[in-house]
Amino acid sequence: MEWQDQSADESERIISMKMWDGRFAKPSAKLLEEFNNSLPFDKELIEEDIDGSIAWAKALARIGIYNQTESRKVIKELTAIKNDWQKGHAKLLGSDEDIHMAVERLLVERVGQAGAKLHTGRSRNDQVATDTRLYCMRKINHIKNLVKEVQSALILRAESDKNIIVPGYTHLQQAQPISLAHYWMSCFFCLEREKSRLDHAYEICDIMPLGSGAIAGAGFAIDRKLLAADLGFSRISDNSIDAVASRDFALELLSSLSSLGIHLSRYAEDLIIWSSREFGYIELDDAWSTGSSMMPQKKNPDSLELMRGKAGRFLGNYTRLATTVKGIGLAYYKDLQEDKEPLFDSIKNMDLVLRVFASVLATLTVNSERMAAQLDPLLLATDVADYLTTAGLPFRQAHKVVGSIVGYCVKNKRNLMELSLKELLVFSPLFKKDIQVVFNWQAALRHRDVDGGTSLRSVNAQVKKAKMLLK
Amino acid sequence: MEWQDQSADESERIISMKMWDGRFAKPSAKLLEEFNNSLPFDKELIEEDIDGSIAWAKALARIGIYNQTESRKVIKELTAIKNDWQKGHAKLLGSDEDIHMAVERLLVERVGQAGAKLHTGRSRNDQVATDTRLYCMRKINHIKNLVKEVQSALILRAESDKNIIVPGYTHLQQAQPISLAHYWMSCFFCLEREKSRLDHAYEICDIMPLGSGAIAGAGFAIDRKLLAADLGFSRISDNSIDAVASRDFALELLSSLSSLGIHLSRYAEDLIIWSSREFGYIELDDAWSTGSSMMPQKKNPDSLELMRGKAGRFLGNYTRLATTVKGIGLAYYKDLQEDKEPLFDSIKNMDLVLRVFASVLATLTVNSERMAAQLDPLLLATDVADYLTTAGLPFRQAHKVVGSIVGYCVKNKRNLMELSLKELLVFSPLFKKDIQVVFNWQAALRHRDVDGGTSLRSVNAQVKKAKMLLK
Amino acid sequence: MEWQDQSADESERIISMKMWDGRFAKPSAKLLEEFNNSLPFDKELIEEDIDGSIAWAKALARIGIYNQTESRKVIKELTAIKNDWQKGHAKLLGSDEDIHMAVERLLVERVGQAGAKLHTGRSRNDQVATDTRLYCMRKINHIKNLVKEVQSALILRAESDKNIIVPGYTHLQQAQPISLAHYWMSCFFCLEREKSRLDHAYEICDIMPLGSGAIAGAGFAIDRKLLAADLGFSRISDNSIDAVASRDFALELLSSLSSLGIHLSRYAEDLIIWSSREFGYIELDDAWSTGSSMMPQKKNPDSLELMRGKAGRFLGNYTRLATTVKGIGLAYYKDLQEDKEPLFDSIKNMDLVLRVFASVLATLTVNSERMAAQLDPLLLATDVADYLTTAGLPFRQAHKVVGSIVGYCVKNKRNLMELSLKELLVFSPLFKKDIQVVFNWQAALRHRDVDGGTSLRSVNAQVKKAKMLLK
Amino acid sequence: MEWQDQSADESERIISMKMWDGRFAKPSAKLLEEFNNSLPFDKELIEEDIDGSIAWAKALARIGIYNQTESRKVIKELTAIKNDWQKGHAKLLGSDEDIHMAVERLLVERVGQAGAKLHTGRSRNDQVATDTRLYCMRKINHIKNLVKEVQSALILRAESDKNIIVPGYTHLQQAQPISLAHYWMSCFFCLEREKSRLDHAYEICDIMPLGSGAIAGAGFAIDRKLLAADLGFSRISDNSIDAVASRDFALELLSSLSSLGIHLSRYAEDLIIWSSREFGYIELDDAWSTGSSMMPQKKNPDSLELMRGKAGRFLGNYTRLATTVKGIGLAYYKDLQEDKEPLFDSIKNMDLVLRVFASVLATLTVNSERMAAQLDPLLLATDVADYLTTAGLPFRQAHKVVGSIVGYCVKNKRNLMELSLKELLVFSPLFKKDIQVVFNWQAALRHRDVDGGTSLRSVNAQVKKAKMLLK
């Protein structure tokens, strides 16, 4: 018996959308199809599904399942479907159970029987794992580039705000004076670690499951290493059960995005506070603020608020998939279909957050006069304690002495920077005239000149290193 | 100066979509609009927004902001917009910032200046809180009805499976024999508490914020109690700040759905295990099962797996909003816009889960012979211990004696039910001929005749109570 | 054969700590015992375990398992063990597997054989569920009382701060002036709903599982309703499987505490911001602040920061148990032993948080002059728009007109309250001399006189209602 | 003025536990001290705190804050305190605010003034971050070693179970036959990625914050690189604000442990199911099982259930800290003190879980006969489809043909392996005599001979690679 190619309009006979109904006496319930159907979201994977299918077709050709003509045709038409999709021409049908069946249907419509061979040795289990990994790898690169754009904006800010002094806060109380550039660079280095997380997530994704079949490995002598090279994977999975069961790569990416979102939310919080009338340190550009439906005077930092609020989304998406995966046995369960929506949602929203943040940073106005005006002389208390320590007083005593001076200032509404030597000598005999040198904002910055400190030298070194890291 | 109605094509002049741009020198960035725009999801609230607007128009008429003609016209056209929407005719625009502005724009297009008066004394802050609460109240009723449908299916199952005995499991080890109907009723009563949670969530939603303005209360003498009655709210908020700031009602609903999802997942787990070839207790109807793309013999309980897997989604959605709300100050921040997507997602998916579960329950086949065949005689060990206890042996000793008998059976591959009196007497002198009465599955069920136990009497009482509760 | 009481030193023979080892050939591994052992945390339940045991002994006496002498003795000694525990005399042993076995051992040591009868018809499955529910009920009452103490502190604050005007914030931008008392009352009414949640959690706890045995119901004719009455439960469980399987009551309480923690964190955030030097609205009492190990001038609102930070703990504890329960079958699995630690931890920490918050509120100092000084004249923009609206201008236009006025003020650094009528008439012909009445902070508050608004009348009504609710 | 050493009993005067009270007029409230006090849990960090202090003393000596005598003495006594602690002699006091103050107090008691100098240039902000990172690094190494022990147990299992065939499951339905060794190896390779996560967490921890002071950098010319080398850190933090603010390293470790816990829970689930009477594939050793308080026959896989249940704990601890960190500004807030308890709890419990799992694996009994008996002939359906595919039938048609054969077998209760050629030919003319070769379990395994497949060759290669990876 021989199989001839059949016209495209016979394709439905060749491949029914429910490709598994031979064993079943009854069709699926409509509601179950709605419940099961993943097309509304997994169509996001279409390009990866086509890429995976092209590579698989090549692999099948290598072992003779496809002859040259078939293989060329299949590859050509899969490529054409991808082009159609990118141009918005490819039509997915409500009856397509998922994106994998949709692509196969489109192919069979174009190439007939050769399309019906494509699934040889493959299962949706290894197919979907492959598609999703490819997708994650592409998106991780994209997100990393956006993180770099934020970092570039931070470097620009640091360079232009280098000479601005701002109170450094702990507990939202003024702690020590810092360079504003130093603040921006803290975000830069925080993001370096976020990129490292994304790199690790990439590494975990970069393992090809294709060829693992449903659970036990493909029953055809596929050269998986060649296949991996075709698809841009560095490694192949070592064990087929693990390959189809594992969603750790998705969890890893969701956890990276959760971390990124949480750390961005901290900077959003600061900038929202700095945007308040009471702080008045920065003003968002009109293009990145919004107003109120009721109060004509309002100018709200909505962009930063959403950036902060979405941290819940990123964490929630991780929690969501982690809980789904918890306690389900090996290898594949349909529960795992729940992996895609949180992934897509976190990726899409992080894309927005990062692009918005880069723009907000680039366009905000710093009110350096306001920052200077807000510097509380008591910010120099540590410097006075350090002065006494250098003069030989153990730090604990110095801390106490300065604590008393501070109490004196607060009680008597005196400005620490304007205390006379005579007044100071009441608290400690170690004070000398040169204490005046301490009462100076620039000196306070120069004073913290360790690596990573807020001195100009250190901040310049940070910027230099940052530029190098971005290259 | 007087204001005349203007033709609909002047509406854009009357109300620009960015109704707040008077204070701004520059338009919003495109990307910010994309970031901020909630229309793609908050259009879900359109009916509630229109209902709220109609009630608000009436309230404004009562205090003379609208004259009778205006008020009649505004109400008529809002009703018409709602009808259009339901028929799929109302057009939302990409430039509509959110559903509230969309509805107002549609109204102004129809009634001109009268539409521009609608927002008098109202803010989007109290408006969106009102819409969302109304929406939740409607959906809670819907979800509760679906829970009742599942409960009805359980009662039907209990009635038809009343005489089937199945091993009761703890630790997935056979523990004591139970009536299958007793098992189904456990789910019924579990769901009673879920409904109680939904009721409480309803109660928390059922507080009207409208009239709270942006934060400090409307500046017009609105009769809020009348307004609440119009909208079907039982109570009005006591404090305007709390009213616009609070999202606890959304968290409460998400937490209820999380609880419901988690408890359903436990039954899904059991039924998946019972569907395995090795247990073989139940078989899902073909219409509620799916097959495999690779393995022609597979029949998978996908419906139950998704039901189990979606528990992660429900919990994740709660976590997501809870994390967003955590630590943001009063009253309104844009972070709170993140409340809607998890709400809509959980509601939509719970609707599916419940409808699927009711159908799965109604259509599954119970294999009672298999259940009978799997009953391990050792299931009666507690009954033997109870026998000895009744004969006067303290339970702790009885437990030990029976432990030894069990050990004897396991070691010698003997069936507990077939031990002779002579063999039993080796372990305790308290055994008598009537021990035979204990070695009987029906007797074992009859034996647990406390309220809530697995005896037929108790199960019948449960079913009776259940029917009453559903009325 | 008869059983005589035996001396206490034979108790070990009567009841070995591993009461189930008859069936086992080998003892447990040490490491497994460490892994399984719940005594280090479940000893928290000792009083409830004793109360439950006393009631159970009475129930056994009613059906003749205990004669009067035995029953009296058992009850007396259980009571004595409880007293010993409260005085710190009762000794738990490392070899006690859990608190239930510890109590039983202590009893057997005192009463011999009668103690060995106590577990008749009972299983640890229904026992632990009963203990935990009793414990939760007691703790819910305690937490509710602490919430009321916070509410009392809020009422006191509201009464003393009634005439203080403070900017009301949305997006941390000044929005509209409000009464400080109005702000405190927002927290009061928020907490009303938290108490309602706790009430509902109580209702869910208040169902007695005892008599459900391991899964199928006790094999003795226990009168469960009488037993429930003895223990203070309002209802008995309807189904024994559900009774031993369910941990929804624990999830419900954890979710209530999560909600409470999250909403408290919002107020903590505000008060932390208000404590900053830049806002300067409040100062925490020295007794409720801490200092820095390095910076002598620091005074940090640590109490509020911990209160905010612990919101993560409360949410995490809910997530933790919810994830554990997800997807485990019926009835009991050891996984459920993980329910106790998050419960105890959330309860203990919420107790601290509430007590600290009540004290912080009672002792903080409000800087009303600072608040007055910070009021931005633009806060009155809505009032001006309302003025124009009352004069006949549709609100949307009024909003725009005022937007332009605001723009004019910002650009020209003019104080809105000091604009001349002439200047105002440039923007709208509707302004008249009486616009001056609007430019007044008290008037702005009086203006929001709807129920729940910030007017003095409304705030007084809120306080009155609040006092009534606390009774 | 000179400072002399003072006797140890003057130490209290030198360093009061509240080292910051100079600025305060009132002592802390008792309740606040209880709320703030971290000693009950942060004493876990004592060794790292001492190590960090020793290195800091050396750094201070290098810049002359300490002379040689002082430095030698301080280092000697810190070392002695550590030894005392390890022997259980060091006494922490309730009045110690935290472990840092406790260590400093103990030092001052021994060395007087020299101890009071130790905190020069240091803040608790950089100190606690340093301690916690060192602690995490040590614990990550420990956990990694335990993961390796589990992996070793898996290799041993794989080697001894190499020739056992077991049904491979998807959806808990028999899918394809696999080698039991292949199953064990899936866990091995899953754990490889968990180790990679731990490695990355280590990398993130391995950045030294010490020298960052409270926020702006130490005010003394500390050589931070030398200091890092002393403490075993590979890198120093680049920015002092980031250094004291960041808790991403803790989140990273919690997220790694969450991932590990979740993936272990999947294997626990499988093994619990396999332990059921109905599956009967494995039996846990008596030493790793427990019994029931009521049912003498029970033998429960509690060890695996706890391992599964604790996944909720690991995820919950991550969620907990992530939520705490979300939305708090820079640099340090007391909220961050909440980082330690979840860290310590996850580490301690993961230690237990891994040790238990390794033992359970090593001691469980495999029932290979039961596995063989349970193999459903329909497991070979894919093999038959592959046969037809090789014979030239496109896979989609082959899948359908076999689906019909399966339907025929189910309907007529025929064993697929016993169908005659004649019967098969009814379904497809492509069947030949050699189809018999397919009907063989060993052949089915041999058939999946791709890399990572279940063939003996592939499994041997996996074991070989695994051994290499463990070296």
Side-chain angles (χ1 to χ4, degrees), chain B residues 34-159:
Chain B
E34 185 188 348
F35 196 48
N36 253 344
N37 194 301
S38 53
L39 195 68
F41 50 86
D42 70 11
K43 64 183 177 194
E44 182 85 13
L45 297 175
I46 187 168
E47 301 195 19
E48 282 75 17
D49 195 73
I50 294 172
D51 292 346
S53 294
I54 289 173
W56 188 249
K58 287 182 192 167
L60 291 179
R62 271 183 225 117
I63 57 167
I65 299 288
Y66 278 136
N67 60 36
Q68 263 212 337
T69 323
E70 282 174 325
S71 142
R72 220 175 295 144
K73 202 162 135 195
V74 162
I75 292 166
K76 188 182 149 210
E77 293 304 326
L78 282 168
T79 310
I81 294 168
K82 191 170 164 185
N83 288 337
D84 279 5
W85 173 259
Q86 287 167 342
K87 288 180 200 139
H89 298 159
K91 264 198 199 149
L92 307 182
L93 303 179
S95 55
D96 293 332
E97 192 182 346
D98 54 31
I99 192 60
H100 320 298
M101 295 315 299
V103 169
E104 195 168 325
R105 176 189 53 77
L106 287 166
L107 179 66
V108 171
E109 283 173 10
R110 288 160 176 258
V111 304
Q113 290 299 344
K117 287 185 176 182
L118 182 64
H119 210 57
T120 305
R122 193 171 67 166
S123 159
R124 273 185 300 183
N125 292 0
D126 57 346
Q127 185 179 2
V128 69
T130 303
D131 293 359
T132 313
R133 284 172 180 267
L134 282 171
Y135 178 87
C136 289
M137 286 156 73
R138 178 160 65 92
K139 289 298 184 179
I140 290 172
N141 285 335
H142 174 69
I143 295 290
K144 257 193 73 176
N145 283 334
L146 294 177
V147 173
K148 285 182 190 166
E149 285 182 27
V150 171
Q151 287 183 308
S152 298
L154 287 162
I155 291 179
L156 286 176
R157 282 247 69 99
E159 291 188 314

